[in-house]
Amino acid sequence: MASAKPKKKNPRLASGRKRVRQDVKLNAANTSLRSKYRTAVKNVEKAVLAGDKTKATELFAKAQAIVDTVADKGIFHKNKAARDKSRLSAKVKALALTPAAAA
């Protein structure tokens, strides 16, 4: 019985109860934005792997807006957002250069 988690106590003060309600809503919003961010990045990477230059550039433009929004809201640090954008941009640019050099 000692290994069981202790039961979480409810706040006594009204302000504490309100804070808990707000935290639930805020956590849901942050989780949604975090998921949207990761999906956008993943979609660009999939397009790059598939070799679809036009789709990759189109998705990258959309991903940039999402990445900036999430960074502005503080879900991810601005430097992480900049790093991810930079890496995605490099992948898209490399994709654009590769077929031109081969053709």
Side-chain angles (χ1 to χ4, degrees), residues 59-77:
L59 288 172
F60 177 66
K62 290 179 183 175
Q64 270 185 311
I66 293 169
V67 168
D68 286 335
T69 302
V70 171
D72 288 341
K73 291 179 187 271
I75 309 297
F76 284 124
H77 195 275

Side-chain angles (χ1 to χ4, degrees), residues 8-33:
K8 195 158 188 165
K9 295 181 181 178
N10 288 330
R12 291 175 188 255
L13 299 175
S15 60
R17 290 194 299 268
K18 180 177 179 182
R19 187 77 237 168
V20 169
R21 288 195 308 270
Q22 289 175 330
D23 286 345
V24 168
K25 289 173 72 173
L26 191 62
N27 189 25
N30 288 350
T31 302
S32 173
L33 283 170

Side-chain angles (χ1 to χ4, degrees), residues 77-84:
H77 195 275
K78 61 182 178 139
N79 290 0
K80 176 186 168 35
R83 182 176 65 237
D84 285 351

